[in-house]
Each structure stands twice: as C-alpha cells, then as structure tokens.
C-alpha cells in the first residue's frame, strides 16, 4: 500500500473508522497474548490512524525507500497499536497480529529492530532512548537533504527520564525542523498520576524554553491532529512537539482514565465488553486468530 | 636504543581524519572531548560530519544509533568510563540490540589517565562491552595498531567497541603489519608458556618474555587485540603446545581478556591460567608508571605469574 504525505483532502470518517479498528485490533492482540499495555495503546489509536491513514509518506511494497517518513515509538510498550497499523497498511500479514508477544514472533512485547530493520527504526523499551535515536535519524536525513519527516512518540511519564531532556537539547541545537514529537499526555503512569509520581508540568513551557515549536492539541480530535501536523513547516529549523491531551484507555469506558489499565490484561468478559464499547468498523474485518486461547480469566 | 612511544589516541585521530576522505558516510560525535580523543582535525576538515553533543553521553550514543540505522558510520568518542558505564543502556539497546553500525571509540581505557583518579579510570569497560551480544571488542596494543584497527573497525559491519589508551606507549607493531579483526597475532614464538595480552600489556609481555628467556623459559607472546570474537584457534593451539597460559591486560582480571581466555580454555583445552590485571578494586591518582607498578601491571608481574603457572603445569 502506498500513501502520499497529506495526499488529497482527508476523509475524517474513514480515518475515524481506521482508529476504531486499531482499537479493536489492539484489544484482541493484547487479550490473545494474555499480557500487554492496553491503556496507552488505546489512547494512541487516533494519532496512529492519522499518521498511517493520511499524514505519513510510505510504500509498504518498498519499505526501504529512504524518502519514507519514519516513526519512532519511544514509548515502546504501546506497540500493539503500531503493529496493527503496520498490518492494516500491508507491511505485515494481518494474521501475524495473533502472534503478538509469543515465543518466536516478530511482534515482540517491545519493538525489536532485528526482526524488521526496514520498519522498526529502533528497538525501544527503556524510555527516553527512542527520542535520541529519532534525532540521529533526523540529523542523518537532514545531512542528505532528504524531505522525510521523522515522527517520534513519547509518553508523558517518559518525560521523567533525563535522557529526554538531553535529546530535547540535541534536536533544538541541530535545528531539526524535520522532527515531530508527540507527547501522549494522558497524565497517568504505572504508579498513578504523573503529577503525584514525579511532576513534569508544565510540559509546554519546558519544551518552549528548550527552543521548541510547541503545540497543544486534543489527541483524540482527528481533524485537529491533521490541522496541527499540516501547519508544521519546520522552516525555521525548530523541532515541533505536539503536547496531546489524551485519555488512557480511550474508547473503553471502564478503562478510561484509570492507571491500573497501563499494563493490565482484560479477561474474557472484560474483553467482550471492551470490544462492544469500541464498536465495529464499517470497512475493516477483525484479523483471524487461528488458535484462540481460552484464558482462565 | 630508546624505545619509540606513541599515543594510540593520536593515531586514531589520524586514521579517522583519513577515513573522512575515503568514506563519506563516516561521521564523528564527541561529548565535549574533541581534543582529548584527537578528532580536532576531522572536525575542522569535515564540520558537517562532526557532531558536538555536549556532556550527555547516553544521548550521544543513541543519536549515533539513529545515524547508523539511516546508513551513516558514526564514531562516538569519549572516555572509556563514560561510554561504557554511563551510557551503558544506550549501548545495550540502541546499539547492541539494534545491531547498529556504531563505532564506540574511547580513550582513557585502563589506569593510565594521568592524575584524574578512579572516576576517570576504566577497568570494567571491556567486560561490559563483551557481555553485549553481537558487540565486537578491539583493544589495540600500540599506536600503529590503533591506526590499522580504526580502518578495520570502520569497514567492519556492526557494533564495535574500540578501546584506546591516553598516554604514549612503546611501539611494537608497524603500520604495514596485517590487522584482521578476530585474528590474533603471534609476536614471539615459544613452547614453554603462552602469554596472551592486549593493550599496553603487549609491550610488557615482550619484555617479560625476554626476562624469562634468560632463565631458559621460552614464552610465546600472543597479541589478542580482539577480545570478542576471541581467536579460539590460536588460543587452543597455544594451550596445547605450551601447556600453560598467562593473560595480561590493563583491565580488571574479571570479565575482560583474562576472563574470556579462562572461559574459552575451560571448555576447549583446560590448562593452568594466571591472570595479570587489576584485582577487583578501584584505582587512584598518580603517575602512570607508579600506578602500573602499584596495581601489578608490569613486566615483572607477568614474569612472576609465569613462574607461578609453570609450577602448576
């Protein structure tokens, strides 16, 4: 599948439908795996749908194309939704989603470059590092006069890592106008509210003082995300950060805004309820699971 | 005849400068230590391919990984203690697990760092790097070898740790010698004992072999410049023909060359092994010669270890 960067007028309904399916896919992947990080994953579905449904330039038939836009998922634990987007865009077989987190699978619990060197720019899991790697790619692209955009996604809890601020300095210092960082600011992390665990507010003010172009958005407003992304021109060499207000567990009322869903697995009943809450897509079908595990839960 | 002494880091600086012309993908990153790792000439000739990263090693290493996955050949340069301990998590995941083509090049490996003391000495770096799957670990023995190793490291696909020393050390190889990653060089023949060394302990081992020879003990001296992958062939042969081994390195006796050799021989051809190196301790300030003597890193220490291991043979 081939997609041009911001090609044509965005079909908002279609992108929303894509996001819905990414939520379904993520739920089914994590439920089938018996483990995973459903909260942040659901919260990222709308942004992921915009990137892979409209904003990014890629060709799944030619993944090594150096002009492709890159995505670095620095908060690697939310990878289920990324794998789902990649599968839906033809980068990997849909049925492979059922192997998520299984022994021998390419779909590791945290992204592993060794299995997908053309797709997964970097293995990520230890927080903060992906940001630095994204900078390195952005510097390299800039050095070669490439027009590719480098998208990097971070969690808000991740901002507690010192390396994030090292990377924030690097991106501003090297004028990486081709870099767009998305902060999945759901305000929650494993141990509770970010402001209680270790306050990192004000996020916008911090990035601004580090020399960044700072934009606050609603991370679930598809049209708003598109507008914000299209407005970035990077012309003055400032990297851009989108501080996105999101809801952990978005789309599943009993998970929404609850820190315990950061890394909790939905049992069979909960999963059914969650899938019903998300709804069914009008255009996509669920990926097949050949050997559905019957979980004790 | 006075012994010629050259600093490995100076020769690295020359080699990487030349690589700038021969390989347009080579880039250099530094964490505020341009002159210390001798990349000033490169930085002046290739300002677009030289990246000052400030004092933030972990970010530097992971940034280099990003450059590498996009096809560049980055040399990240700083002191051994900082690249391998401070930035270890970036080395492990962004470089190692990614199999990124990053060349982690350090100066100040070992004890001879001038008066800076324990924080700036590095005895555990080789062990830390050797434990990372897929990491190649190269420890040249002198200036000319550092020069040849730099070119070999640039041409070698995948992550490499290149460990260099700060001070000028005796020259025992020449720029025309062959240097192949993973293939050790026998510098002196002998069948009574094998001394397996790297770094500045190679010249010390040759000196020790001279001393032993006066007593009729002929030592084979092997320059094991690549700790990983270890040259098992040359090592097994030495164990079989000599029957006893002494290892010598400017590093902890735990986990470095001595550790690697002992691990290998215990499985392949067990013979008595003595390890010369730092004994599980931190260092201190002092002149290089004083420190080498106090911490047991002289030719005499190798001779004494050889005599001990021969008793066990």
């Amino acid at each position: 599948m081939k997609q041009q960067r911001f090609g044509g007028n965005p079909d908002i309904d279609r992108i929303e439908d894509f996001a819905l399916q990414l939520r379904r896919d993520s739920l089914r992947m994590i439920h089938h795996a018996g483990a995973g990080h459903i909260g942040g994953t659901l919260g990222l579905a709308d942004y992921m749908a915009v990137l892979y449904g409209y904003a990014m330039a890629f060709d799944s038939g030619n993944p090594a194309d150096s002009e492709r836009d890159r995505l670095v998922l620095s908060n690697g634990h939310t990878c289920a939704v990324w794998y789902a987007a990649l599968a839906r865009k033809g980068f990997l077989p849909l049925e492979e989603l059922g192997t998520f987190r299984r022994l021998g699978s390419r779909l590791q619990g945290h992204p592993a470059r060794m299995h997908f060197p053309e797709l997964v720019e970097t293995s990520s899991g230890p927080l903060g590092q992906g940001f630095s790697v994204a900078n390195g790619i952005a510097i390299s692209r800039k050095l070669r006069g490439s027009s590719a955009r480098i998208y990097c996604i971070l969690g808000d809890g991740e901002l507690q890592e010192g390396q994030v601020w090292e990377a924030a300095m690097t991106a501003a210092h090297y004028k990486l106008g081709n870099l767009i960082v998305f902060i999945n600011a759901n305000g929650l992390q494993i141990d509770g509210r970010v402001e209680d665990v270790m306050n990192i507010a004000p996020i916008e003010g911090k990035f601004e003082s580090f020399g960044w172009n700072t934009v606050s958005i609603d991370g679930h407003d598809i049209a708003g995300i598109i507008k914000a992304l299209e407005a970035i021109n990077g012309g003055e060499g400032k990297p851009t950060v989108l501080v996105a207000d999101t809801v952990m567990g978005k789309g599943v009322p009993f998970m929404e805004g609850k820190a315990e869903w950061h890394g909790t697995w939905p049992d069979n009943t909960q999963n059914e309820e969650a899938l019903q809450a998300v709804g069914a897509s009008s255009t996509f079908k669920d990926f097949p699971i050949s050997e559905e595990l019957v979980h004790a839960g | 005849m006075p012994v010629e002494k050259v600093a490995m880091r100076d020769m690295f600086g020359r080699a990487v400068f030349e690589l700038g012309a021969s390989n347009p993908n080579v880039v250099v990153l530094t964490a505020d230590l341009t002159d210390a790792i001798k990349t000033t000439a490169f930085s002046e000739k290739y300002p677009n391919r030289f990246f000052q990263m400030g004092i933030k090693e972990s970010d530097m290493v992971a940034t280099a990984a990003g450059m590498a996955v996009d096809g560049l050949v980055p040399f990240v340069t700083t002191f051994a203690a900082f690249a391998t301990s401070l930035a270890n998590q970036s080395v492990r995941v962004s470089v190692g697990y990614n199999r990124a083509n990053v060349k982690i090049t350090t100066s100040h490996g070992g004890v001879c760092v001038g008066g800076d003391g324990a924080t700036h000495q590095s005895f555990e770096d080789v062990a830390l790097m050797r434990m990372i799957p897929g990491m190649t670990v190269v420890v040249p023995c002198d200036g000319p070898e550092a020069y040849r190793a730099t070119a070999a490291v640039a041409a070698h696909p995948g992550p490499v740790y290149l460990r260099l020393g700060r001070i000028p050390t005796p020259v025992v190889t020449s720029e025309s010698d062959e240097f192949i990653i993973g293939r050790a060089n026998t510098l002196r023949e002998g069948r009574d004992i094998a001394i397996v060394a790297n770094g500045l302990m190679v010249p010390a081992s040759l000196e020790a072999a001279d001393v032993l020879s006066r007593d009729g003990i002929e030592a084979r001296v092997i320059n094991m410049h690549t700790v990983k992958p270890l040259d098992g062939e040359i090592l097994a042969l030495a164990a079989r023909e000599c029957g006893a081994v002494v290892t010598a390195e400017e590093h902890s006796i735990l986990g470095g060359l001595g550790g690697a050799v002992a691990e290998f021989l215990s499985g392949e051809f067990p013979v008595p092994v003595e390890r010369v190196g730092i004994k599980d301790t931190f260092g201190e300030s002092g002149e290089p010669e004083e420190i080498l003597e106090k911490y047991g890193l002289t030719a005499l220490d190798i001779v004494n270890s050889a005599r001990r291991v021969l008793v066990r043979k």
Side-chain angles (χ1 to χ4, degrees):
Chain A
M1 226 170 277
K2 199 169 175 171
Q3 178 172 290
Q4 289 186 337
R5 196 173 296 140
F6 305 111
N9 286 325
D11 181 340
I12 304 294
D13 290 342
R14 211 174 145 206
I15 297 170
E16 278 177 351
D17 191 57
F18 184 30
L20 183 161
Q21 187 60 41
L22 292 182
R23 286 194 166 89
R24 287 190 69 85
D25 289 345
S26 301
L27 276 163
R28 294 180 72 244
M29 286 168 73
I30 288 170
H31 175 255
H32 184 58
H37 298 79
I38 193 64
T41 300
L42 289 172
L44 269 181
D46 297 306
Y47 186 59
M48 204 60 84
V50 170
L51 291 183
Y52 281 92
Y54 182 64
M56 285 174 80
F58 59 78
D59 178 0
S60 57
N62 182 19
D65 171 26
S66 65
E67 282 304 308
R68 74 194 187 280
D69 289 336
R70 315 302 207 266
L71 174 64
V72 172
L73 195 66
S74 193
N75 57 342
H77 58 273
T78 60
C79 57
V81 70
W82 186 27
Y83 295 151
L86 291 172
R88 292 289 167 189
K89 289 296 163 182
F91 288 100
L92 49 120
L94 266 185
E95 56 270 22
E96 198 171 334
L97 294 179
T99 69
F100 179 51
R101 293 180 80 110
R102 295 293 178 82
L103 187 67
S105 173
R106 298 194 294 177
L107 307 183
Q108 292 287 295
H110 290 81
R113 175 174 167 78
M114 62 189 286
H115 298 304
F116 296 106
E118 295 95 9
L119 283 184
V120 175
E121 311 296 338
T122 186
S123 310
S124 54
L127 298 172
Q129 271 186 55
F131 191 173
S132 300
V133 175
N135 282 341
I137 297 167
I139 290 171
S140 178
R141 285 289 94 206
K142 208 180 145 187
L143 196 62
R144 296 135 190 260
S146 164
S147 62
R149 280 186 164 199
I150 318 303
Y151 292 95
C152 180
I153 299 176
L154 278 76
D156 51 356
E158 182 170 7
L159 303 182
Q160 291 158 358
E161 283 284 2
Q163 187 162 337
V164 164
W165 303 102
E166 296 185 0
M169 273 183 260
T170 299
H173 187 86
Y174 283 104
K175 303 188 181 345
L176 302 182
N178 54 351
L179 178 76
I180 297 154
V181 167
F182 178 95
I183 309 284
N184 186 31
N186 58 28
L188 298 172
Q189 59 189 111
I190 298 177
D191 273 2
R193 299 195 311 167
V194 173
E195 63 184 288
D196 296 331
V197 175
M198 184 52 63
N199 190 29
I200 46 95
I203 299 175
E204 285 89 342
K206 283 193 174 73
F207 274 95
E208 213 162 297
S209 71
F210 272 68
W212 283 62
N213 174 32
T214 305
V215 184
S216 303
I217 61 168
D218 174 346
H220 301 305
D221 172 9
I222 301 273
I225 297 169
I226 290 172
K227 211 172 137 199
L229 286 177
E230 282 183 323
I232 298 165
N233 63 32
E236 76 271 45
K238 272 191 177 186
T240 296
V241 60
L242 303 175
V243 182
D245 191 6
T246 60
V247 176
M248 180 176 280
K250 175 74 177 175
V252 179
F254 71 88
M255 293 182 180
E256 286 184 359
K258 296 206 172 82
E260 57 265 36
W261 285 102
H262 166 89
T264 312
W265 171 80
D267 64 26
N268 293 342
T269 315
Q270 288 168 326
N271 195 49
E272 275 314 308
E273 192 185 334
L275 287 170
Q276 278 191 10
V278 166
S281 160
S282 54
T283 47
F284 297 96
K285 284 191 167 57
D286 286 338
F287 66 86
I289 294 177
S290 49
E291 275 177 89
E292 182 72 64
L293 275 191
V294 181
H295 290 291
Chain B
M1 203 177 90
V3 181
E4 187 197 357
K5 289 189 174 183
V6 173
M8 294 178 213
R9 56 177 176 157
D10 284 327
M11 297 303 279
F12 164 72
R14 205 183 103 195
V16 82
F17 177 76
E18 291 172 9
L19 277 170
S22 62
N23 186 345
N25 286 328
V26 166
V27 297
V28 172
L29 297 86
T30 187
D32 199 31
L33 289 171
T34 308
D35 191 53
I37 324 293
K38 304 301 172 190
T39 58
T40 307
F42 185 99
S43 74
E44 287 167 353
K45 181 91 187 263
Y46 307 104
N48 293 337
R49 290 195 271 147
F50 180 81
F51 298 92
Q52 173 60 262
M53 298 302 292
I55 308 167
K56 45 190 186 56
E57 293 77 8
S58 199
D59 178 55
M60 169 170 72
V61 170
T63 303
M67 295 170 167
V69 301
D70 200 41
L72 297 177
V73 183
F75 277 81
V76 297
T77 58
T78 181
F79 292 162
F82 304 153
T84 63
S85 299
L86 202 157
N88 191 272
Q89 193 55 225
S90 287
V91 175
R92 176 176 176 263
V93 175
S94 293
V95 176
Y97 189 36
N98 277 345
R99 299 173 177 169
N101 193 22
V102 174
K103 315 307 178 187
I104 300 158
T105 307
T106 66
S107 169
H108 294 51
V111 297
C112 300
V113 304
D116 281 346
T119 57
H120 284 52
Q121 291 164 327
S122 184
F123 309 161
E124 67 289 311
D125 52 316
V126 171
L128 288 168
M129 295 298 97
R130 192 167 78 82
M131 289 301 107
I132 293 173
M135 181 70 73
T136 294
V137 179
V138 177
V139 185
C141 71
D142 66 3
E145 189 164 85
Y147 177 77
R148 286 171 288 134
T150 303
V153 159
H156 178 86
V160 180
Y161 178 54
L162 176 61
R163 186 215 213 203
L164 308 170
R166 171 180 179 269
I167 60 166
T169 51
V171 170
V172 294
T173 72
S174 93
E175 280 179 31
S176 58
D177 287 351
E178 189 177 54
F179 183 90
I180 298 170
I181 289 175
R183 194 179 297 172
N185 301 323
T186 302
L187 301 185
R188 179 181 174 126
E189 293 294 347
R191 282 185 165 251
D192 296 324
I193 187 168
I195 304 172
V196 181
N198 64 20
L200 63 71
M201 294 309 280
V202 170
S205 298
L206 290 168
E207 206 183 316
D210 282 342
V211 174
L212 290 166
S213 180
R214 278 179 229 140
D215 285 347
I217 300 164
E218 292 307 325
R220 179 177 305 184
V221 177
I222 294 168
N223 171 19
M224 191 67 78
H225 51 69
T226 308
V227 181
K228 187 182 178 183
L230 200 66
D231 186 343
E233 203 177 321
I234 206 169
L235 202 51
L237 185 71
R240 192 172 297 120
E241 292 185 348
C242 304
V245 171
V246 170
T247 63
E249 63 197 305
E250 191 191 3
H251 185 273
S252 170
I253 56 169
L254 308 177
L257 175 65
V261 167
E263 286 164 16
F264 176 82
L265 290 179
S266 70
E268 293 294 317
F269 200 88
V271 295
V273 176
E274 284 272 330
R275 289 165 294 149
V276 174
I278 311 285
K279 315 282 192 297
D280 197 21
T281 180
F282 286 104
E284 66 182 274
S285 296
E287 290 304 315
E289 292 75 19
E290 297 172 327
I291 296 186
L292 290 171
E293 193 177 328
K294 178 166 179 178
Y295 288 83
L297 297 171
T298 65
L300 183 63
D301 293 297
I302 298 170
V303 169
N304 291 338
S305 288
R307 294 191 200 285
R308 272 199 303 277
V309 81
L310 282 171
V311 173
R312 296 163 54 206
K313 185 170 162 179

Coordinates of all heavy atoms in Angstrom, one line a residue, chain A residues 145-183:
Chain A
G145 N 19.9 16.0 2.7 CA 19.0 16.8 2.0 C 17.6 16.1 1.7 O 16.9 16.5 0.8
S146 N 17.3 15.2 2.6 CA 16.0 14.5 2.4 C 14.8 15.3 3.0 O 15.0 16.1 3.9 CB 16.1 13.2 3.2 OG 14.8 12.6 3.4
S147 N 13.7 15.0 2.4 CA 12.5 15.8 2.8 C 11.7 14.9 3.8 O 10.6 15.3 4.2 CB 11.6 16.2 1.6 OG 11.2 15.0 1.0
A148 N 12.2 13.7 4.1 CA 11.4 12.8 5.0 C 11.2 13.5 6.4 O 12.0 14.2 6.9 CB 12.2 11.5 5.2
R149 N 10.0 13.1 6.9 CA 9.7 13.6 8.3 C 9.9 12.5 9.3 O 9.7 11.3 9.0 CB 8.2 14.0 8.4 CG 7.9 15.4 7.8 CD 6.5 15.7 8.1 NE 6.2 17.2 7.9 CZ 5.2 17.8 8.4 NH1 4.3 17.2 9.1 NH2 5.0 19.1 8.2
I150 N 10.4 12.9 10.4 CA 10.7 11.9 11.5 C 9.6 12.2 12.6 O 9.7 13.2 13.2 CB 12.1 12.0 12.1 CG1 13.1 12.3 11.0 CG2 12.4 10.8 12.9 CD1 13.2 11.2 9.9
Y151 N 8.8 11.2 12.8 CA 7.8 11.3 13.9 C 8.3 10.4 15.1 O 8.7 9.3 14.9 CB 6.4 10.7 13.4 CG 5.8 11.6 12.4 CD1 5.9 11.3 11.0 CD2 5.0 12.7 12.7 CE1 5.3 12.1 10.0 CE2 4.4 13.5 11.8 CZ 4.5 13.2 10.4 OH 3.9 14.0 9.5
C152 N 8.1 11.0 16.2 CA 8.6 10.3 17.4 C 7.4 10.4 18.5 O 6.9 11.5 18.6 CB 9.9 10.9 18.0 SG 10.5 10.1 19.4
I153 N 7.1 9.3 19.1 CA 6.0 9.3 20.1 C 6.6 9.0 21.5 O 7.4 8.0 21.6 CB 4.9 8.3 19.8 CG1 4.3 8.7 18.4 CG2 3.8 8.3 20.8 CD1 3.2 7.7 17.9
L154 N 6.2 9.9 22.4 CA 6.7 9.7 23.8 C 5.5 9.7 24.8 O 4.5 10.3 24.5 CB 7.6 10.8 24.3 CG 9.1 10.8 23.9 CD1 9.2 11.2 22.5 CD2 9.8 11.8 24.8
G155 N 5.6 9.0 25.9 CA 4.6 9.1 26.9 C 4.9 10.2 27.8 O 6.0 10.8 27.8
D156 N 3.9 10.7 28.6 CA 4.2 11.8 29.4 C 5.0 11.4 30.7 O 5.9 12.1 31.1 CB 3.0 12.6 29.8 CG 1.8 11.8 30.4 OD1 2.0 10.6 30.4 OD2 0.8 12.4 30.8
G157 N 4.8 10.2 31.1 CA 5.6 9.7 32.2 C 7.1 9.5 31.8 O 8.0 9.7 32.6
E158 N 7.2 9.2 30.5 CA 8.6 9.1 30.0 C 9.4 10.4 30.1 O 10.7 10.3 30.2 CB 8.5 8.7 28.5 CG 9.8 8.5 27.7 CD 9.6 7.9 26.3 OE1 8.5 7.8 25.9 OE2 10.6 7.6 25.7
L159 N 8.7 11.5 30.2 CA 9.5 12.8 30.3 C 10.3 12.9 31.6 O 11.1 13.7 31.8 CB 8.5 14.0 30.2 CG 7.6 14.0 29.0 CD1 6.8 15.3 29.0 CD2 8.5 14.0 27.7
Q160 N 10.0 11.9 32.5 CA 10.8 11.9 33.8 C 12.2 11.4 33.5 O 13.1 11.6 34.3 CB 10.1 11.0 34.8 CG 8.8 11.6 35.3 CD 7.9 10.6 35.9 OE1 8.1 9.4 35.9 NE2 6.7 11.1 36.4
E161 N 12.4 10.7 32.4 CA 13.8 10.2 32.1 C 14.7 11.4 31.7 O 14.3 12.2 30.8 CB 13.7 9.3 30.9 CG 13.2 7.9 31.2 CD 14.3 7.0 31.9 OE1 15.4 7.5 32.2 OE2 14.0 5.8 32.2
G162 N 15.8 11.5 32.3 CA 16.8 12.6 32.0 C 17.2 12.6 30.5 O 17.4 13.7 30.0
Q163 N 17.3 11.4 29.9 CA 17.7 11.4 28.5 C 16.7 12.2 27.6 O 17.2 12.7 26.6 CB 17.9 10.0 28.0 CG 18.5 9.9 26.6 CD 19.1 8.6 26.3 OE1 19.5 7.8 27.2 NE2 19.3 8.3 25.0
V164 N 15.5 12.3 28.0 CA 14.5 13.0 27.2 C 15.0 14.5 27.0 O 14.9 15.1 25.9 CB 13.1 13.0 27.8 CG1 12.2 14.1 27.2 CG2 12.5 11.6 27.6
W165 N 15.5 15.0 28.1 CA 15.9 16.4 28.0 C 17.2 16.6 27.4 O 17.5 17.7 26.8 CB 15.8 17.0 29.5 CG 14.4 16.8 29.9 CD1 13.9 15.8 30.8 CD2 13.2 17.5 29.4 NE1 12.6 15.9 30.9 CE2 12.1 16.9 30.1 CE3 13.0 18.5 28.5 CZ2 10.8 17.3 29.8 CZ3 11.7 18.9 28.3 CH2 10.6 18.3 28.9
E166 N 18.1 15.6 27.4 CA 19.3 15.6 26.6 C 18.9 15.6 25.2 O 19.4 16.4 24.4 CB 20.1 14.3 26.9 CG 20.6 14.2 28.3 CD 21.6 13.0 28.5 OE1 21.8 12.2 27.6 OE2 22.0 12.8 29.6
A167 N 18.0 14.8 24.8 CA 17.5 14.7 23.4 C 16.8 16.0 23.0 O 17.0 16.5 21.8 CB 16.6 13.5 23.2
A168 N 16.1 16.6 23.9 CA 15.4 17.8 23.6 C 16.4 18.9 23.2 O 16.2 19.8 22.3 CB 14.5 18.3 24.8
M169 N 17.5 18.9 23.9 CA 18.6 19.9 23.6 C 19.2 19.6 22.3 O 19.4 20.6 21.5 CB 19.7 19.7 24.7 CG 19.5 20.6 25.9 SD 21.0 20.3 27.0 CE 20.4 19.2 28.2
T170 N 19.4 18.4 22.0 CA 20.1 18.0 20.7 C 19.2 18.4 19.5 O 19.7 19.0 18.6 CB 20.3 16.5 20.7 OG1 21.2 16.1 21.7 CG2 20.9 16.1 19.3
A171 N 17.9 18.2 19.6 CA 17.0 18.5 18.5 C 17.0 20.0 18.2 O 16.9 20.4 17.1 CB 15.6 17.9 18.8
A172 N 16.9 20.8 19.3 CA 16.9 22.2 19.1 C 18.3 22.7 18.6 O 18.3 23.5 17.7 CB 16.5 22.9 20.4
H173 N 19.3 22.2 19.2 CA 20.7 22.6 18.8 C 21.0 22.4 17.3 O 21.6 23.2 16.7 CB 21.7 21.9 19.7 CG 23.1 22.4 19.5 ND1 23.6 23.4 20.2 CD2 24.1 21.9 18.7 CE1 24.9 23.6 19.8 NE2 25.2 22.7 18.9
Y174 N 20.5 21.2 16.9 CA 20.8 20.8 15.5 C 19.6 21.2 14.5 O 19.6 20.8 13.4 CB 21.2 19.4 15.3 CG 22.6 19.2 15.8 CD1 23.0 18.6 17.0 CD2 23.6 19.6 15.0 CE1 24.3 18.5 17.4 CE2 25.0 19.5 15.3 CZ 25.3 18.9 16.6 OH 26.6 18.8 16.9
K175 N 18.7 22.1 15.1 CA 17.7 22.7 14.3 C 16.9 21.6 13.4 O 16.8 21.7 12.2 CB 18.2 23.8 13.3 CG 19.0 24.9 14.1 CD 19.4 26.0 13.2 CE 20.1 27.1 13.8 NZ 20.2 27.2 15.2
L176 N 16.4 20.6 14.1 CA 15.8 19.5 13.4 C 14.3 19.8 13.1 O 13.4 19.3 13.8 CB 15.9 18.2 14.3 CG 17.3 17.8 14.6 CD1 17.4 16.5 15.4 CD2 18.1 17.7 13.3
G177 N 14.1 20.7 12.1 CA 12.8 21.0 11.7 C 12.0 19.9 11.1 O 10.8 19.9 10.9
N178 N 12.7 18.8 10.8 CA 12.1 17.6 10.2 C 11.6 16.6 11.3 O 11.1 15.5 11.0 CB 13.1 16.9 9.3 CG 14.4 16.6 9.9 OD1 14.7 17.0 11.0 ND2 15.2 15.8 9.2
L179 N 11.7 17.0 12.6 CA 11.3 16.1 13.7 C 10.0 16.6 14.3 O 9.9 17.8 14.6 CB 12.4 16.1 14.7 CG 12.1 15.3 16.0 CD1 12.3 13.8 15.7 CD2 13.1 15.7 17.1
I180 N 9.1 15.7 14.5 CA 7.8 16.0 15.2 C 7.6 15.0 16.3 O 7.5 13.8 16.1 CB 6.7 15.9 14.2 CG1 6.9 17.0 13.1 CG2 5.3 16.1 14.9 CD1 6.2 16.6 11.8
V181 N 7.6 15.5 17.5 CA 7.5 14.7 18.7 C 6.0 14.8 19.2 O 5.5 15.9 19.2 CB 8.4 15.1 19.8 CG1 8.1 14.4 21.1 CG2 9.9 14.6 19.4
F182 N 5.4 13.7 19.5 CA 4.0 13.7 20.0 C 4.1 13.2 21.5 O 4.6 12.1 21.7 CB 3.2 12.7 19.2 CG 1.8 12.5 19.6 CD1 0.7 13.2 19.0 CD2 1.4 11.5 20.5 CE1 -0.6 13.0 19.4 CE2 0.1 11.3 20.9 CZ -0.9 12.1 20.3
I183 N 3.6 14.0 22.4 CA 3.6 13.5 23.8 C 2.2 13.0 24.1 O 1.2 13.7 24.0 CB 3.9 14.7 24.8 CG1 5.2 15.4 24.4 CG2 4.0 14.1 26.2 CD1 6.5 14.8 24.7

